[in-house]
Amino acid sequence: MPNDAVTQLRTEARKALDAAPDQGALDAWRVDFLGRKGRLTGVLRGLADLSIEEKKTVGAAANALKLELEEAFDARADTLRLASLTKSIETGRLDVTLPERPHLQGGLHPVTQLSRKILDAFRSMGFSIIEGPEVELDHYNFEGLRIPADHPARDMWDTFWVDEEVDGRRSILMRTHTSPMQIRFMEEHKPPIRIAVPGRAYRFEATDTTHEWMMTQVEILAVDEGLNMGHLKGTLLDLFRRLFGQERQIRLQASYFPFVEPGAEVAMDCYVCNGKGCQSCHGSGWIEMLGAGMVHPEILDSMGIDSRKYTGFAAGMGLERLAMQYYGVPDIRWWYQNDLRLLNQF
Ligand code: DAH
């Protein structure tokens, strides 16, 4: 009779095992038949009530069944695992003949591209590329450049102030040009100096087709013995010829910037009409490119650079207007509207 119970248990266990459809059912099966409170354990516990003779046969049969079921369990688990793998390979199969999903390709902004061209030109002329802070002190943006508070020249740079007024004055601002890096650099370095400074500058201005409240500038500064306007002109001419063609000419017209003496507005003959006058240059034949000049001797001296021995030249250009010329874009605001119909063209 007890041996019958083992046989019976075997039949049931094998049947249930073969029917277990997945890992969950398999785990439940194991608890049910082989677990600590499972049915096989029940049989083994029941041995205590049997005669010695019966204990021998039933015990041996039950132990053999235990081993058999454990092996059968492992085999079934393997079968199920293989089946589910096969299924997932079949249903998840990649169709390599499908066309790929379109993906967008990024690119450098046209103003960045132009900036890199300009910096490459200056680098090859021996200038180092230096960057500086966009949030700047009045000291560097104005005072150190000979533009004291209440100086009328401050009107040239409408300013975004960052800090609150103290005693009617504020001292932290968004730099209105990259010129403050001239002062920062000369504070730390002595001649010979040759730097090009790319970066953002900000103006508190209403926007229109040629004005934006943010712009990208490149500033250059060179200080050495014997530098003169000829070096300035040659440097700028070389830059514009690289960008706009070897036949370009430039023109320097006297202008005023507090940090240079003399100061100049630099224009280039129009590369569209070669100076004859066209729509692109508003009929004048010339395109205004940048401000420049010889570094004011007072600035050199205030930096501890002897202005009797050293001279310097400086220039600053806004890239967005230049990029409008370069790429033929009619509205400066388009550069930063992130309209892919425009940007994808570059
Ligand atoms: N910083 C001036 C501006 O943004 C441009 C400029 C003029 C820079 C003359 C110079 C310079 O270095 O010498 O309006």
Side-chain angles (χ1 to χ4, degrees):
M1 170 70 189
N3 233 340
D4 288 352
V6 173
T7 312
Q8 164 90 24
L9 188 59
R10 178 173 185 274
T11 313
E12 277 180 43
R14 304 269 344 194
K15 201 170 148 202
L17 188 61
D18 289 343
D22 53 28
Q23 189 61 43
L26 214 52
D27 291 338
W29 179 92
R30 176 180 225 158
V31 172
D32 195 16
F33 288 97
L34 296 175
R36 264 194 313 122
K37 295 180 180 161
R39 293 167 62 180
L40 185 61
T41 318
V43 172
L44 289 167
R45 288 221 175 93
L47 288 177
D49 303 330
L50 301 181
S51 69
I52 303 237
E53 235 4 77
E54 280 173 324
K55 267 185 193 150
K56 271 190 191 154
T57 52
V58 178
N63 275 327
L65 179 58
K66 186 165 188 240
L67 287 179
E68 180 192 332
L69 290 184
E70 274 165 1
E71 265 170 33
F73 173 86
D74 288 343
R76 181 72 185 151
D78 281 347
T79 309
L80 287 180
R81 211 174 299 123
L82 189 65
S84 92
L85 191 64
T86 310
K87 190 170 159 207
S88 88
I89 287 171
E90 266 165 16
T91 56
R93 193 188 308 153
L94 287 178
D95 181 351
V96 293
T97 65
L98 280 176
E100 65 174 329
R101 293 198 186 93
H103 55 265
L104 294 176
Q105 196 176 5
L108 292 177
H109 192 279
V111 172
T112 304
Q113 293 181 31
L114 181 62
S115 164
R116 291 193 177 187
K117 285 200 175 88
I118 292 169
L119 294 176
D120 280 347
F122 283 128
R123 204 183 282 114
S124 73
M125 288 188 253
F127 287 75
S128 304
I129 314 300
I130 305 291
E131 289 183 292
E134 292 178 19
V135 177
E136 187 51 286
L137 294 171
D138 183 302
H139 172 73
Y140 293 107
N141 195 85
F142 289 131
E143 290 280 341
L145 288 164
R146 303 183 68 256
I147 317 166
D150 305 323
H151 191 289
R154 286 214 178 193
D155 292 349
M156 291 164 74
W157 297 278
D158 298 304
T159 307
F160 283 114
W161 292 95
V162 173
D163 59 343
E164 299 293 329
E165 236 172 67
V166 177
D167 297 332
R169 288 202 61 182
R170 289 181 286 195
S171 57
I172 304 173
L173 46 77
M174 301 305 291
R175 67 177 173 194
T176 60
H177 48 183
T178 42
S179 303
M181 273 310 285
Q182 292 188 29
I183 306 302
R184 282 186 179 273
F185 197 82
M186 284 190 278
E187 228 172 38
E188 307 268 328
H189 302 83
K190 297 308 153 206
I193 290 172
R194 261 186 250 140
I195 56 166
V197 186
R200 295 270 161 84
Y202 301 83
R203 305 262 170 98
F204 185 56
E205 272 182 20
T207 62
D208 61 28
T209 53
T210 54
H211 294 83
E212 257 289 21
W213 53 266
M214 180 190 80
M215 76 189 89
T216 312
Q217 290 195 333
V218 173
E219 185 90 12
I220 57 165
L221 170 70
V223 184
D224 207 340
E225 282 181 61
L227 290 184
N228 59 45
M229 288 290 268
H231 298 108
L232 169 64
K233 187 173 178 185
T235 303
L236 296 176
L237 187 58
D238 190 49
L239 170 71
F240 293 138
R241 287 186 170 172
R242 284 173 197 240
L243 290 175
F244 294 97
Q246 285 306 314
E247 64 282 17
R248 294 282 65 81
Q249 300 291 333
I250 61 171
R251 175 185 80 180
L252 275 70
Q253 280 184 315
S255 182
Y256 174 70
F257 299 96
F259 35 93
V260 279
E261 180 57 38
E265 246 356 302
V266 180
M268 174 184 83
D269 65 328
C270 178
Y271 60 93
V272 177
C273 59
N274 281 322
K276 286 186 206 68
C278 67
Q279 221 182 358
S280 204
C281 55
H282 307 294
S284 77
W286 293 95
I287 302 168
E288 292 292 342
M289 300 301 274
L290 48 82
M294 299 305 293
V295 179
H296 201 291
E298 279 178 17
I299 293 183
L300 293 176
D301 288 327
S302 71
M303 297 284 102
I305 298 171
D306 186 352
S307 65
R308 286 166 307 180
K309 185 170 174 205
Y310 294 104
T311 49
F313 64 79
M317 67 196 89
L319 298 200
E320 280 76 9
R321 283 194 202 166
L322 197 54
M324 289 166 71
Q325 293 284 348
Y326 195 75
Y327 296 116
V329 164
D331 190 323
I332 201 168
R333 295 167 295 192
W334 291 5
W335 290 134
Y336 299 113
Q337 283 168 349
N338 289 335
D339 188 331
L340 289 178
R341 290 172 303 174
L342 177 82
L343 296 177
N344 275 339
Q345 296 179 45
F346 299 96

